[in-house]
Amino acid sequence: MKVTVDQDKCVASGQCVVAAMEVFDQRDEDGIVVLLTPEPPAGQAEDVRHAAAVCPALAIEIQD
Amino acid sequence: MTSTVNPVDERAARAPEFPMARAAGCPFDPPPGLRNMQREGPLAKVRLWDGSTPWLVTGYADQRALLGDPRVSADINRSGYPRQAPMPPGGTGVSFILKDDPEHARLRRMVTAPFAIKRVEAMRPGVQKIVDDLIDELLAGPNPVDLVEAFALPVPSLVICQLLGVPYADHDFFQENSKVIINRNVTPEQRSTAHGNLIGYLDDLMGEKIAHPVDDLLSGLAGRVTAGELARDEAAQMGVLLLIAGHETTANMIALGTLALFEHPDQLALLRETDDPKRISSAVEELLRYLHITHSGRRRVAMADIEIGGEVIRAGEGLILANDIANRDPDVFAEPDRLDLRRDARRHVAFGFGVHQCLGQPLARMELQVVYNTLYRRIPTLRPATELERIPFKHDGSVYGVYELPVTW
Protein backbone atom coordinates (compact mmCIF):
# COMPACT_ATOMS: atom_id res chain seq x y z
CA MET A 1 0.00 0.00 0.00
CA LYS A 2 1.26 3.47 -0.99
CA VAL A 3 -0.21 6.61 0.56
CA THR A 4 -0.03 10.19 -0.71
CA VAL A 5 -1.52 13.32 0.84
CA ASP A 6 -2.40 16.70 -0.67
CA GLN A 7 -1.49 19.40 1.85
CA ASP A 8 -3.17 22.10 -0.26
CA LYS A 9 -6.52 20.33 -0.01
CA CYS A 10 -6.19 19.45 3.71
CA VAL A 11 -8.52 21.31 6.10
CA ALA A 12 -6.76 20.13 9.29
CA SER A 13 -9.68 18.07 10.57
CA GLY A 14 -7.21 15.63 12.14
CA GLN A 15 -9.50 12.67 11.43
CA CYS A 16 -6.63 10.82 9.74
CA VAL A 17 -4.53 11.14 12.92
CA VAL A 18 -7.38 9.72 15.01
CA ALA A 19 -7.78 6.82 12.56
CA ALA A 20 -4.09 5.97 12.00
CA MET A 21 -1.70 7.75 14.35
CA GLU A 22 1.39 5.85 13.11
CA VAL A 23 0.81 7.01 9.54
CA PHE A 24 -0.46 10.59 9.82
CA ASP A 25 0.47 13.61 11.95
CA GLN A 26 -0.33 17.33 11.87
CA ARG A 27 1.94 20.38 11.47
CA ASP A 28 2.19 22.32 14.73
CA GLU A 29 1.61 25.73 13.16
CA ASP A 30 -1.66 25.04 11.33
CA GLY A 31 -2.73 21.42 11.81
CA ILE A 32 -2.15 20.50 8.16
CA VAL A 33 -1.52 16.79 7.51
CA VAL A 34 2.00 15.35 7.59
CA LEU A 35 2.59 11.87 6.17
CA LEU A 36 4.80 9.82 8.50
CA THR A 37 4.70 6.46 6.73
CA PRO A 38 4.18 6.54 2.94
CA GLU A 39 4.22 2.72 2.76
CA PRO A 40 2.42 1.51 5.87
CA PRO A 41 2.62 -2.18 6.86
CA ALA A 42 -0.32 -4.47 6.07
CA GLY A 43 -1.47 -4.43 9.68
CA GLN A 44 -2.31 -0.72 9.37
CA ALA A 45 -4.04 -0.94 5.99
CA GLU A 46 -7.56 -0.97 7.38
CA ASP A 47 -6.96 2.08 9.57
CA VAL A 48 -5.41 3.95 6.64
CA ARG A 49 -8.39 3.13 4.42
CA HIS A 50 -10.67 4.42 7.15
CA ALA A 51 -8.58 7.61 7.39
CA ALA A 52 -9.03 8.19 3.66
CA ALA A 53 -12.77 7.55 3.90
CA VAL A 54 -13.38 10.04 6.71
CA CYS A 55 -11.06 12.77 5.39
CA PRO A 56 -13.56 15.57 4.67
CA ALA A 57 -11.29 17.21 2.09
CA LEU A 58 -10.54 13.98 0.17
CA ALA A 59 -6.84 14.78 0.61
CA ILE A 60 -5.61 11.18 1.08
CA GLU A 61 -4.94 8.88 -1.87
CA ILE A 62 -4.18 5.19 -1.59
CA GLN A 63 -2.57 2.93 -4.19
CA ASP A 64 -2.51 -0.80 -3.56
CA MET B 1 -46.52 29.74 -27.77
CA THR B 2 -47.77 26.46 -26.39
CA SER B 3 -48.11 26.16 -22.66
CA THR B 4 -46.45 23.05 -21.35
CA VAL B 5 -45.93 22.51 -17.66
CA ASN B 6 -42.30 21.99 -16.83
CA PRO B 7 -42.15 18.96 -14.49
CA VAL B 8 -39.58 20.69 -12.28
CA ASP B 9 -41.84 23.76 -11.94
CA GLU B 10 -44.74 21.46 -11.14
CA ARG B 11 -42.73 19.81 -8.38
CA ALA B 12 -41.74 23.20 -7.02
CA ALA B 13 -45.43 24.17 -6.87
CA ARG B 14 -46.14 21.06 -4.77
CA ALA B 15 -43.03 21.44 -2.60
CA PRO B 16 -43.70 21.03 1.13
CA GLU B 17 -42.57 23.63 3.65
CA PHE B 18 -39.08 23.24 5.14
CA PRO B 19 -38.11 22.86 7.95
CA MET B 20 -40.68 20.19 8.77
CA ALA B 21 -42.17 19.20 12.10
CA ARG B 22 -40.97 16.13 13.97
CA ALA B 23 -43.54 13.52 14.97
CA ALA B 24 -45.01 13.97 18.43
CA GLY B 25 -43.51 11.36 20.75
CA CYS B 26 -40.42 10.84 18.57
CA PRO B 27 -38.19 13.73 19.66
CA PHE B 28 -34.96 12.03 18.55
CA ASP B 29 -36.08 11.09 15.03
CA PRO B 30 -35.97 13.34 11.95
CA PRO B 31 -39.35 14.58 10.66
CA PRO B 32 -41.32 11.72 9.03
CA GLY B 33 -41.83 13.93 5.95
CA LEU B 34 -38.09 13.98 5.34
CA ARG B 35 -37.79 10.23 5.76
CA ASN B 36 -40.59 9.73 3.22
CA MET B 37 -38.70 11.91 0.75
CA GLN B 38 -35.59 9.80 1.33
CA ARG B 39 -37.54 6.67 0.43
CA GLU B 40 -38.94 8.29 -2.74
CA GLY B 41 -35.68 9.34 -4.39
CA PRO B 42 -32.36 11.13 -4.21
CA LEU B 43 -33.75 14.64 -4.76
CA ALA B 44 -36.85 16.48 -3.58
CA LYS B 45 -38.07 20.07 -3.73
CA VAL B 46 -38.89 21.98 -0.53
CA ARG B 47 -40.33 25.44 0.06
CA LEU B 48 -38.52 27.90 2.35
CA TRP B 49 -39.80 30.88 4.38
CA ASP B 50 -39.18 33.24 1.41
CA GLY B 51 -41.10 31.09 -1.10
CA SER B 52 -37.94 29.79 -2.78
CA THR B 53 -37.85 26.08 -3.67
CA PRO B 54 -34.33 24.64 -3.34
CA TRP B 55 -33.45 20.98 -3.83
CA LEU B 56 -33.31 18.76 -0.77
CA VAL B 57 -30.72 15.99 -1.17
CA THR B 58 -31.87 12.95 0.76
CA GLY B 59 -29.16 10.25 0.64
CA TYR B 60 -25.89 9.90 2.52
CA ALA B 61 -23.68 9.21 -0.53
CA ASP B 62 -25.08 12.07 -2.64
CA GLN B 63 -24.77 14.50 0.26
CA ARG B 64 -21.14 13.60 0.86
CA ALA B 65 -20.35 13.84 -2.85
CA LEU B 66 -21.98 17.28 -3.15
CA LEU B 67 -20.34 18.64 0.03
CA GLY B 68 -16.97 17.71 -1.49
CA ASP B 69 -17.83 18.99 -4.99
CA PRO B 70 -15.98 22.16 -6.11
CA ARG B 71 -18.98 23.04 -8.33
CA VAL B 72 -20.99 23.68 -5.16
CA SER B 73 -20.69 27.01 -3.29
CA ALA B 74 -21.21 27.88 0.38
CA ASP B 75 -21.27 31.64 -0.36
CA ILE B 76 -24.38 33.09 1.28
CA ASN B 77 -24.21 36.16 -0.96
CA ARG B 78 -24.50 34.13 -4.16
CA SER B 79 -27.87 34.27 -5.94
CA GLY B 80 -29.95 31.17 -5.23
CA TYR B 81 -28.38 30.41 -1.82
CA PRO B 82 -31.15 28.96 0.39
CA ARG B 83 -31.11 31.25 3.42
CA GLN B 84 -32.44 30.13 6.78
CA ALA B 85 -33.90 33.53 7.63
CA PRO B 86 -34.06 37.08 6.25
CA MET B 87 -30.76 38.95 6.23
CA PRO B 88 -30.61 41.66 8.88
CA PRO B 89 -31.06 45.21 7.52
CA GLY B 90 -27.76 46.40 6.13
CA GLY B 91 -26.42 42.84 6.30
CA THR B 92 -23.73 41.65 8.67
CA GLY B 93 -20.17 40.59 8.21
CA VAL B 94 -19.84 37.02 7.05
CA SER B 95 -17.43 34.55 8.59
CA PHE B 96 -15.45 31.99 6.64
CA ILE B 97 -18.07 29.27 6.95
CA LEU B 98 -20.20 31.21 4.45
CA LYS B 99 -17.36 31.86 1.98
CA ASP B 100 -15.64 29.74 -0.67
CA ASP B 101 -11.96 28.97 -1.17
CA PRO B 102 -9.46 30.56 -1.46
CA GLU B 103 -10.84 33.15 1.00
CA HIS B 104 -12.37 30.42 3.20
CA ALA B 105 -9.09 28.47 3.38
CA ARG B 106 -7.03 31.61 4.09
CA LEU B 107 -9.15 32.52 7.10
CA ARG B 108 -9.79 28.99 8.36
CA ARG B 109 -6.09 28.11 8.44
CA MET B 110 -5.52 30.99 10.84
CA VAL B 111 -7.52 29.18 13.53
CA THR B 112 -6.89 25.47 12.84
CA ALA B 113 -3.77 24.98 15.01
CA PRO B 114 -5.55 24.94 18.43
CA PHE B 115 -7.92 22.23 17.11
CA ALA B 116 -5.15 19.82 16.07
CA ILE B 117 -5.49 16.43 17.74
CA LYS B 118 -2.42 16.67 20.00
CA ARG B 119 -3.34 20.19 21.15
CA VAL B 120 -6.88 19.03 21.94
CA GLU B 121 -5.58 15.96 23.79
CA ALA B 122 -3.37 18.25 25.88
CA MET B 123 -6.57 20.02 27.00
CA ARG B 124 -8.20 16.77 28.19
CA PRO B 125 -7.01 16.92 31.84
CA GLY B 126 -8.26 20.52 32.10
CA VAL B 127 -11.64 19.54 30.66
CA GLN B 128 -11.82 16.58 33.07
CA LYS B 129 -11.24 19.03 35.95
CA ILE B 130 -13.99 21.36 34.68
CA VAL B 131 -16.40 18.41 34.44
CA ASP B 132 -15.45 17.02 37.88
CA ASP B 133 -15.78 20.44 39.54
CA LEU B 134 -19.21 21.03 37.97
CA ILE B 135 -20.39 17.59 39.14
CA ASP B 136 -19.17 18.42 42.67
CA GLU B 137 -21.22 21.64 42.55
CA LEU B 138 -24.22 19.77 41.13
CA LEU B 139 -24.13 17.24 43.96
CA ALA B 140 -23.79 19.99 46.57
CA GLY B 141 -26.66 22.04 45.14
CA PRO B 142 -30.45 21.70 44.86
CA ASN B 143 -31.99 18.36 43.84
CA PRO B 144 -33.80 18.21 41.39
CA VAL B 145 -31.95 20.68 39.14
CA ASP B 146 -31.98 21.73 35.49
CA LEU B 147 -29.08 19.85 33.90
CA VAL B 148 -28.84 22.37 31.02
CA GLU B 149 -28.21 25.33 33.33
CA ALA B 150 -26.13 23.48 35.94
CA PHE B 151 -23.95 21.34 33.68
CA ALA B 152 -24.59 21.02 29.93
CA LEU B 153 -24.08 24.70 29.12
CA PRO B 154 -21.26 25.52 31.59
CA VAL B 155 -18.99 22.67 30.35
CA PRO B 156 -18.48 23.88 26.76
CA SER B 157 -18.79 27.50 27.83
CA LEU B 158 -15.88 27.23 30.28
CA VAL B 159 -13.84 25.27 27.74
CA ILE B 160 -14.33 27.66 24.79
CA CYS B 161 -13.77 30.70 27.01
CA GLN B 162 -10.45 29.26 28.17
CA LEU B 163 -9.41 28.36 24.62
CA LEU B 164 -10.35 31.73 23.12
CA GLY B 165 -9.32 33.85 26.09
CA VAL B 166 -12.81 35.25 26.77
CA PRO B 167 -13.66 36.09 30.43
CA TYR B 168 -16.20 33.48 31.64
CA ALA B 169 -17.64 36.16 33.95
CA ASP B 170 -19.32 37.64 30.83
CA HIS B 171 -21.09 34.38 29.95
CA ASP B 172 -24.64 35.57 30.67
CA PHE B 173 -24.17 38.37 28.16
CA PHE B 174 -22.88 36.25 25.29
CA GLN B 175 -25.17 33.29 25.95
CA GLU B 176 -28.23 35.58 25.74
CA ASN B 177 -27.07 37.09 22.45
CA SER B 178 -26.01 33.72 21.07
CA LYS B 179 -29.51 32.32 21.77
CA VAL B 180 -31.11 35.10 19.73
CA ILE B 181 -28.77 34.56 16.76
CA ILE B 182 -29.55 30.86 16.39
CA ASN B 183 -33.31 31.25 16.92
CA ARG B 184 -35.12 31.06 13.57
CA ASN B 185 -38.18 32.94 14.87
CA VAL B 186 -36.67 36.26 15.88
CA THR B 187 -36.96 39.33 13.62
CA PRO B 188 -34.02 40.33 11.41
CA GLU B 189 -33.67 43.45 13.58
CA GLN B 190 -33.38 41.39 16.79
CA ARG B 191 -30.79 39.13 15.20
CA SER B 192 -28.87 42.13 13.88
CA THR B 193 -28.83 43.75 17.34
CA ALA B 194 -27.62 40.55 19.03
CA HIS B 195 -24.93 40.10 16.40
CA GLY B 196 -23.88 43.74 16.78
CA ASN B 197 -23.62 43.26 20.56
CA LEU B 198 -21.31 40.29 20.16
CA ILE B 199 -19.20 41.96 17.46
CA GLY B 200 -18.79 45.02 19.70
CA TYR B 201 -17.80 42.82 22.63
CA LEU B 202 -15.26 40.82 20.61
CA ASP B 203 -13.89 43.98 19.01
CA ASP B 204 -13.20 45.46 22.47
CA LEU B 205 -11.60 42.20 23.54
CA MET B 206 -9.49 42.17 20.36
CA GLY B 207 -8.25 45.64 21.27
CA GLU B 208 -7.10 44.30 24.64
CA LYS B 209 -5.38 41.28 23.07
CA ILE B 210 -3.60 43.51 20.53
CA ALA B 211 -2.27 45.65 23.38
CA HIS B 212 -1.54 42.78 25.79
CA PRO B 213 -1.28 39.45 23.94
CA VAL B 214 -1.24 36.25 26.04
CA ASP B 215 -1.32 32.54 25.11
CA ASP B 216 -4.86 32.10 23.76
CA LEU B 217 -6.64 31.87 20.40
CA LEU B 218 -7.84 35.48 20.31
CA SER B 219 -4.30 36.70 21.03
CA GLY B 220 -3.17 34.59 18.07
CA LEU B 221 -5.68 36.42 15.87
CA ALA B 222 -4.60 39.73 17.41
CA GLY B 223 -1.05 38.93 16.31
CA ARG B 224 -2.34 38.44 12.74
CA VAL B 225 -4.09 41.81 12.91
CA THR B 226 -0.88 43.48 14.12
CA ALA B 227 1.08 41.79 11.31
CA GLY B 228 -1.42 43.10 8.75
CA GLU B 229 -2.59 39.59 7.70
CA LEU B 230 -6.13 40.00 9.01
CA ALA B 231 -8.49 42.96 9.32
CA ARG B 232 -9.64 43.69 12.87
CA ASP B 233 -13.32 43.28 11.91
CA GLU B 234 -12.52 39.87 10.36
CA ALA B 235 -10.84 38.87 13.62
CA ALA B 236 -13.87 39.95 15.68
CA GLN B 237 -16.16 38.09 13.25
CA MET B 238 -14.13 34.89 13.70
CA GLY B 239 -14.22 35.32 17.47
CA VAL B 240 -18.04 35.54 17.41
CA LEU B 241 -18.31 32.45 15.21
CA LEU B 242 -16.05 30.36 17.47
CA LEU B 243 -17.76 31.57 20.64
CA ILE B 244 -21.27 30.68 19.38
CA ALA B 245 -20.22 27.42 17.74
CA GLY B 246 -18.31 26.37 20.85
CA HIS B 247 -21.36 26.84 23.05
CA GLU B 248 -24.52 25.72 21.46
CA THR B 249 -23.63 22.50 19.75
CA THR B 250 -21.79 20.70 22.55
CA ALA B 251 -24.23 21.90 25.21
CA ASN B 252 -27.13 20.45 23.24
CA MET B 253 -25.28 17.19 22.64
CA ILE B 254 -24.75 16.82 26.40
CA ALA B 255 -28.36 17.51 27.41
CA LEU B 256 -30.15 15.83 24.51
CA GLY B 257 -27.73 12.90 24.67
CA THR B 258 -28.46 12.43 28.37
CA LEU B 259 -32.19 12.47 27.67
CA ALA B 260 -31.78 9.92 24.85
CA LEU B 261 -29.81 7.69 27.24
CA PHE B 262 -32.54 8.01 29.90
CA GLU B 263 -34.95 6.72 27.26
CA HIS B 264 -32.58 3.82 26.46
CA PRO B 265 -31.53 2.48 29.91
CA ASP B 266 -29.67 -0.52 28.43
CA GLN B 267 -27.44 1.88 26.48
CA LEU B 268 -26.95 4.14 29.49
CA ALA B 269 -25.82 1.07 31.45
CA LEU B 270 -23.08 0.43 28.85
CA LEU B 271 -21.61 3.88 29.56
CA ARG B 272 -21.87 3.45 33.32
CA GLU B 273 -20.04 0.15 33.20
CA THR B 274 -17.01 1.07 31.09
CA ASP B 275 -14.06 3.39 31.11
CA ASP B 276 -12.49 1.89 27.98
CA PRO B 277 -11.59 4.90 25.77
CA LYS B 278 -12.47 2.96 22.58
CA ARG B 279 -15.96 2.13 23.80
CA ILE B 280 -16.50 5.67 25.05
CA SER B 281 -15.36 7.02 21.68
CA SER B 282 -17.76 4.67 19.81
CA ALA B 283 -20.60 5.76 22.07
CA VAL B 284 -19.89 9.43 21.30
CA GLU B 285 -19.89 8.76 17.54
CA GLU B 286 -23.19 6.88 17.76
CA LEU B 287 -24.83 9.65 19.80
CA LEU B 288 -23.59 12.21 17.25
CA ARG B 289 -25.09 10.11 14.45
CA TYR B 290 -28.35 9.39 16.21
CA LEU B 291 -29.06 12.89 17.52
CA HIS B 292 -27.92 14.96 14.49
CA ILE B 293 -28.51 18.19 16.44
CA THR B 294 -27.80 20.42 13.41
CA HIS B 295 -31.19 19.85 11.83
CA SER B 296 -31.46 22.74 9.34
CA GLY B 297 -29.33 21.03 6.70
CA ARG B 298 -26.08 22.28 5.19
CA ARG B 299 -26.94 25.07 2.76
CA ARG B 300 -25.25 25.40 -0.63
CA VAL B 301 -25.84 26.69 -4.18
CA ALA B 302 -24.85 24.97 -7.44
CA MET B 303 -22.36 26.86 -9.63
CA ALA B 304 -22.76 24.48 -12.60
CA ASP B 305 -25.30 21.92 -13.79
CA ILE B 306 -24.91 18.77 -11.69
CA GLU B 307 -26.62 15.45 -12.41
CA ILE B 308 -27.90 13.33 -9.53
CA GLY B 309 -29.79 10.09 -10.15
CA GLY B 310 -30.91 11.11 -13.66
CA GLU B 311 -32.05 14.60 -12.61
CA VAL B 312 -30.16 17.84 -13.19
CA ILE B 313 -29.56 20.48 -10.54
CA ARG B 314 -29.14 23.67 -12.58
CA ALA B 315 -26.46 26.28 -11.95
CA GLY B 316 -27.85 28.89 -9.54
CA GLU B 317 -30.24 26.50 -7.79
CA GLY B 318 -30.12 26.12 -4.02
CA LEU B 319 -29.29 22.88 -2.23
CA ILE B 320 -30.09 21.65 1.26
CA LEU B 321 -28.03 18.67 2.39
CA ALA B 322 -30.11 17.21 5.21
CA ASN B 323 -27.51 15.57 7.43
CA ASP B 324 -30.14 14.36 9.90
CA ILE B 325 -31.62 11.96 7.36
CA ALA B 326 -28.19 11.12 5.92
CA ASN B 327 -27.29 9.81 9.36
CA ARG B 328 -30.40 7.63 9.25
CA ASP B 329 -29.80 6.35 5.71
CA PRO B 330 -30.52 2.59 5.82
CA ASP B 331 -28.08 2.02 2.93
CA VAL B 332 -25.24 3.08 5.24
CA PHE B 333 -26.36 2.31 8.80
CA ALA B 334 -28.21 -0.93 9.55
CA GLU B 335 -31.39 -0.34 11.56
CA PRO B 336 -30.65 3.40 11.51
CA ASP B 337 -33.36 4.36 14.03
CA ARG B 338 -31.87 2.16 16.74
CA LEU B 339 -29.49 3.82 19.23
CA ASP B 340 -26.68 1.28 19.47
CA LEU B 341 -23.56 2.52 21.27
CA ARG B 342 -21.62 -0.55 20.14
CA ARG B 343 -21.96 0.04 16.41
CA ASP B 344 -19.26 1.68 14.23
CA ALA B 345 -20.89 5.03 13.43
CA ARG B 346 -17.71 6.95 12.60
CA ARG B 347 -18.82 7.71 9.03
CA HIS B 348 -21.70 9.91 10.19
CA VAL B 349 -22.03 13.46 8.82
CA ALA B 350 -23.05 15.18 12.05
CA PHE B 351 -20.09 17.56 11.56
CA GLY B 352 -20.75 17.91 7.82
CA PHE B 353 -18.29 16.90 5.11
CA GLY B 354 -16.03 18.67 2.60
CA VAL B 355 -13.80 21.66 3.26
CA HIS B 356 -16.39 23.26 5.56
CA GLN B 357 -16.55 20.32 7.95
CA CYS B 358 -16.78 21.56 11.54
CA LEU B 359 -13.49 23.08 12.67
CA GLY B 360 -14.15 22.33 16.34
CA GLN B 361 -14.98 18.63 15.94
CA PRO B 362 -11.86 17.27 17.72
CA LEU B 363 -12.64 19.50 20.70
CA ALA B 364 -16.34 18.60 20.69
CA ARG B 365 -15.52 14.88 20.54
CA MET B 366 -13.04 15.15 23.41
CA GLU B 367 -15.47 17.14 25.59
CA LEU B 368 -18.26 14.63 24.94
CA GLN B 369 -15.95 11.68 25.68
CA VAL B 370 -15.05 13.22 29.04
CA VAL B 371 -18.67 14.09 29.87
CA TYR B 372 -20.24 10.76 28.87
CA ASN B 373 -17.48 8.86 30.63
CA THR B 374 -17.83 10.84 33.86
CA LEU B 375 -21.38 12.06 34.49
CA TYR B 376 -23.28 8.75 34.65
CA ARG B 377 -20.50 6.94 36.50
CA ARG B 378 -20.19 9.62 39.16
CA ILE B 379 -23.97 9.96 39.56
CA PRO B 380 -25.20 6.42 38.83
CA THR B 381 -28.73 7.20 40.01
CA LEU B 382 -29.07 10.24 37.71
CA ARG B 383 -32.57 10.19 36.18
CA PRO B 384 -35.19 12.55 34.72
CA ALA B 385 -37.26 14.54 37.24
CA THR B 386 -40.18 15.00 34.84
CA GLU B 387 -41.99 13.13 32.05
CA LEU B 388 -40.74 13.28 28.46
CA GLU B 389 -43.96 15.08 27.43
CA ARG B 390 -43.13 18.03 29.68
CA ILE B 391 -39.62 18.64 28.34
CA PRO B 392 -39.38 21.68 26.00
CA PHE B 393 -37.54 20.86 22.76
CA LYS B 394 -35.78 23.42 20.56
CA HIS B 395 -37.91 23.03 17.45
CA ASP B 396 -37.35 26.70 16.61
CA GLY B 397 -33.57 26.89 16.53
CA SER B 398 -30.94 25.99 13.97
CA VAL B 399 -29.42 23.73 16.65
CA TYR B 400 -31.77 21.10 18.09
CA GLY B 401 -31.86 20.16 21.75
CA VAL B 402 -33.79 20.80 24.93
CA TYR B 403 -34.32 24.13 26.66
CA GLU B 404 -34.44 22.43 30.07
CA LEU B 405 -33.76 18.96 31.44
CA PRO B 406 -34.85 18.59 35.08
CA VAL B 407 -32.88 15.75 36.68
CA THR B 408 -32.69 14.14 40.09
CA TRP B 409 -30.48 11.46 41.71
Side-chain angles (χ1 to χ4, degrees):
Chain A
M1 171 184 268
K2 272 192 181 174
V3 183
T4 50
V5 296
D6 185 339
Q7 292 185 322
D8 292 335
K9 276 190 182 175
C10 174
V11 294
S13 82
Q15 291 314 292
C16 54
V17 182
V18 176
M21 206 164 267
E22 293 82 12
V23 181
F24 304 100
D25 197 1
Q26 289 173 289
R27 277 200 310 235
D28 287 339
E29 62 268 33
D30 56 9
I32 297 302
V33 63
V34 176
L35 185 61
L36 301 175
T37 316
E39 294 188 31
Q44 287 166 7
E46 199 188 326
D47 290 344
V48 173
R49 268 184 243 284
H50 182 74
V54 294
C55 172
L58 308 171
I60 300 170
E61 278 207 35
I62 295 171
Q63 283 179 306
D64 285 305
Chain B
M1 206 173 132
T2 52
S3 71
T4 52
V5 181
N6 179 326
V8 173
D9 291 344
E10 197 195 347
R11 274 172 80 174
R14 289 187 283 112
E17 300 263 338
F18 184 87
M20 291 176 185
R22 289 169 195 256
C26 297
F28 309 115
D29 289 344
L34 283 183
R35 301 295 298 281
N36 292 340
M37 286 178 166
Q38 190 177 52
R39 279 189 280 271
E40 280 165 23
L43 287 177
K45 280 271 179 179
V46 290
R47 182 175 305 278
L48 301 190
W49 58 276
D50 60 355
S52 65
T53 53
W55 294 103
L56 184 117
V57 184
T58 66
Y60 173 93
D62 288 332
Q63 287 191 31
R64 266 189 33 145
L66 285 166
L67 287 170
D69 192 322
R71 296 171 298 174
V72 169
S73 168
D75 182 351
I76 193 170
N77 289 316
R78 205 176 268 275
S79 169
Y81 182 95
R83 290 182 177 164
Q84 287 194 27
M87 285 291 266
T92 54
V94 163
S95 58
F96 59 85
I97 58 170
L98 299 172
K99 291 179 181 185
D100 291 330
D101 285 342
E103 191 59 1
H104 157 263
R106 180 181 78 86
L107 294 169
R108 179 174 166 128
R109 283 195 180 197
M110 290 185 186
V111 285
T112 44
F115 299 99
I117 299 301
K118 284 176 186 163
R119 295 273 296 270
V120 167
E121 278 308 311
M123 290 175 69
R124 191 183 283 264
V127 171
Q128 183 70 55
K129 168 123 183 38
I130 285 173
V131 168
D132 282 329
D133 289 351
L134 282 167
I135 294 174
D136 288 342
E137 283 175 39
L138 195 73
L139 289 169
N143 181 0
V145 71
D146 173 19
L147 190 79
V148 173
E149 198 68 29
F151 184 76
L153 200 48
V155 171
S157 186
L158 281 158
V159 173
I160 198 71
C161 283
Q162 248 174 37
L163 179 71
L164 293 180
V166 169
Y168 182 72
D170 298 335
H171 71 107
D172 284 338
F173 165 79
F174 48 73
Q175 277 164 10
E176 279 312 308
N177 286 290
S178 173
K179 259 186 222 168
V180 174
I181 291 172
I182 66 158
N183 187 324
R184 287 195 292 240
N185 294 333
V186 299
T187 65
E189 290 76 15
Q190 286 172 310
R191 186 174 297 110
S192 177
T193 303
H195 197 258
N197 290 344
L198 285 182
I199 285 285
Y201 176 75
L202 259 300
D203 188 69
D204 287 350
L205 207 50
M206 200 53 70
E208 272 175 49
K209 306 280 179 187
I210 289 168
H212 309 288
V214 287
D215 183 20
D216 57 35
L217 195 152
L218 292 184
S219 294
L221 288 180
R224 303 264 186 180
V225 173
T226 306
E229 296 168 23
L230 184 67
R232 182 159 158 173
D233 64 331
E234 286 179 316
Q237 189 74 46
M238 270 202 257
V240 170
L241 168 72
L242 296 173
L243 190 58
I244 297 179
H247 264 86
E248 300 293 343
T249 46
T250 311
N252 284 300
M253 273 303 300
I254 294 171
L256 191 67
T258 300
L259 181 58
L261 291 165
F262 286 156
E263 295 291 310
H264 297 82
D266 57 324
Q267 300 297 307
L268 179 55
L270 292 176
L271 275 171
R272 266 201 219 104
E273 287 157 9
T274 188
D275 61 354
D276 176 355
K278 279 195 174 152
R279 290 179 69 174
I280 305 293
S281 165
S282 290
V284 167
E285 299 311 313
E286 171 64 351
L287 283 158
L288 286 163
R289 179 197 75 84
Y290 181 74
L291 296 172
H292 48 77
I293 56 158
T294 50
H295 65 158
S296 297
R298 316 283 166 197
R299 311 282 174 123
R300 298 290 189 271
V301 54
M303 295 191 289
D305 292 358
I306 301 170
E307 197 191 315
I308 298 275
E311 290 200 83
V312 179
I313 297 165
R314 301 280 172 203
E317 289 182 333
L319 297 170
I320 296 181
L321 299 313
N323 52 295
D324 47 359
I325 50 171
N327 283 342
R328 300 290 186 98
D329 186 335
D331 289 345
V332 183
F333 302 102
E335 293 186 72
D337 294 335
R338 196 158 61 88
L339 177 66
D340 175 5
L341 301 190
R342 287 178 161 154
R343 80 162 84 216
D344 180 3
R346 286 178 296 175
R347 287 164 300 162
H348 67 73
V349 284
F351 292 111
F353 196 71
V355 297
H356 288 277
Q357 192 183 56
C358 174
L359 170 72
Q361 55 160 316
L363 180 63
R365 286 185 153 111
M366 184 270 282
E367 287 181 56
L368 294 173
Q369 287 162 8
V370 172
V371 164
Y372 293 143
N373 182 33
T374 309
L375 181 63
Y376 320 119
R377 277 154 36 91
R378 280 204 55 197
I379 319 180
T381 57
L382 191 73
R383 58 189 185 277
T386 188
E387 305 87 63
L388 187 65
E389 297 72 41
R390 297 176 74 95
I391 291 169
F393 288 91
K394 294 182 176 175
H395 294 290
D396 51 355
S398 50
V399 181
Y400 186 62
V402 291
Y403 284 107
E404 282 172 38
L405 180 59
V407 293
T408 187
W409 53 91

